[in-house]
Amino acid sequence: MRVSYRPTAALALAINAAICAASIWPAIVEASAEARVYEIPPSPLSEALARFADQAGVTLTFDTSLTQGRMSSGLVGAYTVESGFSALLAQSGLQAAEQSNGVTILRAGEEGAVTLGITQIEGAAYGAFEPPAAYDGGQVATGARVGMLGNKSIMDTPFSITSYTAQHMENQQANTVASVLRSDASVRIRTSEGHTQENFMIRGFRVDSADLAIDGLFGLAPDGHVPTEFLERVEVLKGPGAMLTGMPPAGGVGGVINLVPKRALDTPLTRLTTSFVSDSYVAEHLDISRRFGAEERFGIRFNGVSGDGETGVDDQSKERALWSLAADYRGDGWRLGVDGYENRERTDDGSPIMIGFTNIGTVPRAPDPSTNLLKGVYVKQENSMVKLRGEYDFTDHWTGFASIGSARTRYDGYLRGTALRLSNVNGDGFGDTINQKGYSDSLSSEFGLRGHFETGSVTHQLVMVSTRLHQEIGRAPAVRSARYPTNLYHPSTPTLAGPVGAQEKAEDNTLTSFAIADTLGFFDEKLLVTVGVRSQRVEQAMSTPSRYDEKKVTPAVALLVKPWDAPVSLYANYIEGLSQGESIGDIRAPNYGEQFAPHQTRQIEAGVKWDLGAFTHTVSVFELENTSVVQDPLTLRYSDDGEQANRGVEWSMFGALTPSLRVLGGVTYTRAVLEKSAGGLFDENTARGVPKWNANLSAEWDVAGVSGLTLSTLVMHSSSQYLDSANNLKAPKFTRYDLGIRYGMSIYERDVTLRASLENVENRAYWAGSFNEGFASIGQPRTLKVSATIDF
């Protein structure tokens, strides 16, 4: 039986739960203004400090290297801010010092320590400019940005969210966001690995590369794929998030991927990494961080990358250059920061390809993943961005914040449409190439107010925010080559499309929104109820296919309960996603050119989070429903009456099983069902590109008796998946293995880390995912990565 959920019902459920809890739970004695009661269990020191700062309402920032490997016995009893930090840091040789700007920093030794006052910066438990501390093991963080709600502890977040750290990216030698998210069982890449476009599936629904956000702002991330060298965090919020973040420009609803750029550390850093990737690609990466002034209020972080050489695809070469700069200033009651990057890439003599099977009705074996089916093609991509952000504390309880950024994208070459359509199971088929050229210019902004207050015994964390994203997109008419015969396993030389003409403006889109949300805390915030709503406006100013101005309201309600003294959180949420309505581009259709209204995705989710101190589990169940466009087979008219319902269970875990063994991964089960298809033809079929089972497990083991030596592995598994709505084409299951080793040492008082990894150890040929109807993408070839990092 299928159950439909409405926002009003979900809101009533949450309110009733809060009332019931109020009637049966005993009142908890409120802490005095001078001291509060804390119950922080034994845990890694970084985790204990983050929890204490969160509950005390102070902004804490520190270099995680200071707390690496340190444990805390916890904190139980009544403490002031000063005495609480003193107790947590006893015997550690570390001290907490409050700066004149209200930010508390962690430093070694007693010199320079000052008495702490109670400085509250509400709504951002770890500070809006500082990401939450790393969890034990350093692979993920203790918290993440939850859209307009700001940075929140994972245990206080009524959604499923994971934040991957820069340390994890470096140790995995992950050079793009897609390679970072290999560790997440809820995420799969839809395009071939190494393709110039990295598009994802989260919980069985698409999230395109254009839907990635930077510091919560859409439209600013590099187009195609995102390099990781300038990133401090890659945060994944699973499920739709229109109320939390606003509508993504490409309409992705499966989740939200937010990128946090690197910023200046509290300790100086000069780090050089030299890397080699098979076949002959070599890159240099320079990372420099400094803070200046007597109180180190001004900081600068620079990252620069230059790389060139051949890739793992036969005869393909790649050249790239990246620079990024972040500057920030910590004033008295205000903070200001500027971020910018420029990323240039050129790929020559080849591109990963997607294979179509509709003409043969079956899925043959995958080719050797290093096979180059598109020799001679090239792609040039240029991306740049600059962003200004700031905060001002009106009082200890109210903070205003604003961000504005501009991004520019240019591309030229055979970027999309790299496809081969098979004619028989022997791999014969026909291909063509498409030459393209285009641009996009984006201006994105966010303005808001965040505050904390109390009504009786109920606490409130109120947030109001307004966003605007304007994008102008232009392109030249694509030029397609003549079809040419080739073979999947023994490719011929492709026919290249001719030159493109002049570019013309094709889209002029503006997305504006206003949102308000309140998190109500009951019983010393052991019960948290979040209620919010966002009004979204979508405007398309071009007359072709049609002018467009629509509004939608997307609500959300979430409940989080901490019923025991043990660090366990029970949560549930109802939240909606929002996608821009599709434009009908089929010239055969009677309603060719029609633009549908924005459509909403609805999710209901419930789960439990259990923090064992150094190891955390999350188990959740969810249901997502999304509108889809269907065509009437008789009239050929399109409508937006179709639906897809994904129901699933997720288990994720991370942390340290022992001091020398760290694990990260999870398992997901998803049942993706088509409903209300045209004429009921595909009703109850499985949606394409959604395996029922996905599993990922990575592990790191510090070898006993050899200081600094660590072995690692990553296992990825996906069950079989359909490639078409009719369920006639099925790609088989696959399992892939990666192995790694690293060794950290000191040479002439310089920290040096050597890393090596072998990805897809067996060079397994497999179909990785589905991008378009009847098409599959090819997995990554065996790839050797070697790097050496030295800190000066």
Side-chain angles (χ1 to χ4, degrees):
M1 180 181 70
R2 182 163 161 254
V3 180
S4 297
Y5 299 91
R6 297 185 178 181
T8 52
L11 178 59
L13 177 64
I15 294 174
N16 288 336
I19 294 173
C20 290
S23 66
I24 63 175
W25 283 12
I28 297 175
V29 178
E30 295 184 9
S32 70
E34 296 298 326
R36 288 190 57 182
V37 175
Y38 297 92
E39 295 182 4
I40 298 175
S43 57
L45 181 58
S46 60
E47 167 77 0
L49 288 168
R51 288 188 177 186
F52 179 75
D54 185 4
Q55 295 176 29
V58 301
T59 299
L60 175 68
T61 177
F62 59 92
D63 186 346
T64 55
S65 65
L66 293 173
T67 58
Q68 188 69 35
R70 298 177 185 265
M71 295 295 294
S72 168
S73 58
L75 193 69
V76 179
Y79 291 87
T80 64
V81 175
E82 180 181 2
S83 63
F85 273 122
S86 296
L88 286 170
L89 296 173
Q91 310 302 319
S92 70
L94 304 174
Q95 288 189 335
E98 185 192 35
Q99 305 292 88
S100 60
N101 60 359
V103 176
T104 299
I105 67 171
L106 205 62
R107 56 175 55 152
E110 298 184 1
E111 190 175 281
V114 298
T115 301
L116 290 167
I118 301 178
T119 303
Q120 293 185 342
I121 300 177
E122 303 293 349
Y126 305 89
F129 277 39
E130 301 293 338
Y135 191 76
D136 193 67
Q139 298 169 308
V140 301
T142 57
R145 176 173 177 140
V146 189
M148 63 183 289
L149 303 182
N151 286 330
K152 297 180 72 68
S153 165
I154 289 175
M155 296 300 290
D156 291 335
T157 302
F159 304 96
S160 180
I161 192 166
T162 306
S163 178
Y164 297 95
T165 65
Q167 178 182 328
H168 175 65
M169 300 178 217
E170 291 168 0
N171 289 336
Q172 293 291 314
Q173 300 188 92
N175 53 1
T176 70
V177 167
S179 52
V180 176
L181 298 183
R182 290 176 191 155
S183 301
D184 202 314
S186 300
V187 182
R188 287 295 183 263
I189 185 169
R190 298 166 60 218
T191 42
S192 299
E193 292 197 52
H195 197 277
T196 51
Q197 297 285 110
E198 287 185 345
N199 299 315
F200 306 90
M201 296 281 276
I202 302 179
R203 286 187 170 176
F205 285 109
R206 69 180 183 89
V207 175
D208 289 348
S209 59
D211 286 338
L212 274 61
I214 290 185
D215 278 338
L217 294 182
F218 291 117
L220 303 184
D223 186 49
H225 62 249
V226 180
T228 60
E229 290 91 350
F230 77 109
L231 299 179
E232 186 65 36
R233 298 281 192 270
V234 174
E235 302 173 336
V236 183
L237 173 68
K238 298 163 189 174
M243 192 286 290
L244 297 170
T245 63
M247 189 185 96
V253 296
V256 178
I257 300 174
N258 183 56
L259 312 173
V260 181
K262 290 178 177 177
R263 278 126 195 182
L265 304 170
D266 289 321
T267 55
L269 173 72
T270 302
R271 176 173 293 169
L272 179 65
T273 300
T274 302
S275 59
F276 167 86
V277 181
S278 57
D279 285 341
S280 63
Y281 180 83
V282 177
E284 298 284 352
H285 172 207
L286 179 63
D287 186 354
I288 301 175
S289 174
R290 294 289 188 276
R291 301 207 72 87
F292 302 95
E295 296 179 314
E296 298 184 334
R297 294 188 176 211
F298 180 64
I300 291 180
R301 186 77 176 267
F302 170 81
N303 278 269
V305 181
S306 178
D308 190 10
E310 293 189 359
T311 71
V313 176
D314 292 341
D315 298 323
Q316 184 192 56
S317 63
K318 187 173 188 177
E319 181 181 353
R320 61 180 292 243
L322 163 72
W323 69 261
S324 71
L325 185 67
D328 69 271
Y329 188 84
R330 302 167 178 170
D332 293 326
W334 59 276
R335 295 153 296 282
L336 188 67
V338 179
D339 294 284
Y341 71 78
E342 182 170 302
N343 184 49
R344 297 172 179 264
E345 297 190 7
R346 180 181 175 109
T347 303
D348 283 295
D349 208 19
S351 173
I353 197 168
M354 272 83 69
I355 310 300
F357 311 106
T358 304
N359 295 333
I360 61 175
T362 188
V363 180
R365 64 179 176 87
D368 184 321
S370 64
T371 303
N372 189 344
L373 289 101
L374 291 169
K375 289 185 179 182
V377 306
Y378 74 92
V379 174
K380 293 189 297 183
Q381 293 171 286
E382 299 179 4
N383 300 277
S384 59
M385 182 275 291
V386 62
K387 177 172 67 69
L388 175 69
R389 68 193 189 284
E391 290 183 343
Y392 182 79
D393 302 326
F394 296 104
T395 69
D396 288 345
H397 300 285
W398 290 94
T399 298
F401 56 92
S403 296
I404 185 168
S406 175
R408 179 179 182 271
T409 293
R410 302 291 184 267
Y411 65 86
D412 180 13
Y414 302 84
L415 183 70
R416 305 178 184 91
T418 51
L420 166 64
R421 294 164 179 81
L422 297 186
S423 303
N424 57 50
V425 295
N426 297 321
D428 296 320
F430 290 90
D432 53 27
T433 59
I434 304 175
N435 197 1
Q436 299 163 295
K437 187 175 184 179
Y439 71 90
S440 69
D441 294 317
S442 302
L443 182 64
S444 187
S445 62
E446 177 185 57
F447 301 89
L449 181 66
R450 180 179 292 121
H452 177 86
F453 61 93
E454 297 179 359
T455 55
S457 62
V458 180
T459 63
H460 298 263
Q461 296 179 36
L462 183 67
V463 187
M464 295 174 285
V465 66
S466 175
T467 66
R468 185 179 189 273
L469 170 62
H470 177 258
Q471 287 188 313
E472 179 181 310
I473 300 173
R475 60 183 71 96
V479 177
R480 185 184 295 268
S481 74
R483 291 203 313 165
Y484 62 90
T486 187
N487 184 276
L488 177 61
Y489 311 109
H490 307 286
S492 62
T493 301
T495 300
L496 300 183
V500 297
Q503 301 176 96
E504 299 177 354
K505 185 167 75 169
E507 299 180 43
D508 190 333
N509 302 325
T510 304
L511 311 179
T512 54
S513 74
F514 176 78
I516 183 169
D518 189 12
T519 298
L520 298 86
F522 303 88
F523 312 111
D524 200 23
E525 298 192 341
K526 288 192 174 182
L527 170 64
L528 299 173
V529 178
T530 300
V531 181
V533 65
R534 184 181 295 263
S535 175
Q536 181 84 53
R537 183 179 182 184
V538 184
E539 300 173 87
Q540 203 287 104
M542 300 294 291
S543 58
T544 303
S546 62
R547 295 188 184 275
Y548 182 76
D549 190 345
E550 294 285 344
K551 295 180 180 179
K552 286 287 185 180
V553 173
T554 52
V557 60
L559 177 73
L560 185 138
V561 182
K562 299 180 179 180
W564 309 294
D565 291 336
V568 174
S569 298
L570 309 177
Y571 74 95
N573 65 69
Y574 172 90
I575 191 167
E576 295 188 358
L578 187 64
S579 298
Q580 185 170 339
E582 282 83 353
S583 173
I584 303 304
D586 186 349
I587 61 175
R588 302 173 303 162
N591 57 335
Y592 167 69
E594 181 179 356
Q595 180 97 43
F596 293 120
H599 58 81
Q600 290 161 285
T601 302
R602 297 171 175 85
Q603 171 184 276
I604 188 164
E605 176 185 12
V608 56
K609 303 178 182 183
W610 185 15
D611 185 353
L612 298 172
F615 192 71
T616 294
H617 296 268
T618 299
V619 177
S620 60
V621 294
F622 63 87
E623 178 182 84
L624 286 85
E625 294 182 348
N626 188 36
T627 300
S628 61
V629 171
V630 295
Q631 184 181 32
D632 188 306
L634 298 178
T635 66
L636 300 183
R637 186 179 185 85
Y638 287 88
S639 69
D640 57 353
D641 296 329
E643 286 187 4
Q644 178 180 329
N646 292 3
R647 303 172 180 91
V649 182
E650 291 176 339
W651 169 50
S652 63
M653 40 87 175
F654 55 81
L657 289 177
T658 71
S660 61
L661 179 62
R662 297 166 295 279
V663 296
L664 172 66
V667 179
T668 68
Y669 171 83
T670 307
R671 179 76 172 102
V673 179
L674 298 177
E675 300 173 347
K676 298 183 180 179
S677 62
L681 185 63
F682 302 138
D683 284 3
E684 301 304 318
N685 280 9
T686 299
R688 62 178 175 83
V690 187
K692 283 188 177 181
W693 291 98
N694 285 323
N696 297 53
L697 178 63
S698 63
E700 294 184 343
W701 176 55
D702 299 331
V703 178
V706 185
S707 178
L709 181 62
T710 301
L711 305 179
S712 63
T713 185
L714 169 64
V715 181
M716 295 175 54
H717 172 79
S718 286
S719 63
S720 60
Q721 57 184 303
Y722 288 107
L723 304 178
D724 64 332
S725 300
N727 289 179
N728 294 323
L729 301 171
K730 180 185 281 191
K733 64 182 180 181
F734 71 86
T735 303
R736 184 186 120 175
Y737 304 92
D738 297 350
L739 296 175
I741 184 172
R742 71 175 182 270
Y743 182 57
M745 55 188 162
S746 179
I747 301 178
Y748 295 109
E749 299 182 350
R750 304 295 184 189
D751 292 334
V752 177
T753 304
L754 306 178
R755 299 180 178 90
S757 62
L758 191 62
E759 299 175 352
N760 192 7
V761 172
E762 302 174 296
N763 200 31
R764 182 178 298 275
Y766 61 95
W767 301 113
S770 175
F771 186 63
N772 289 327
E773 181 78 14
F775 283 81
S777 58
I778 300 173
Q780 178 187 5
R782 180 192 290 133
T783 303
L784 173 66
K785 294 182 178 180
V786 179
S787 68
T789 299
I790 181 169
D791 291 352
F792 294 96

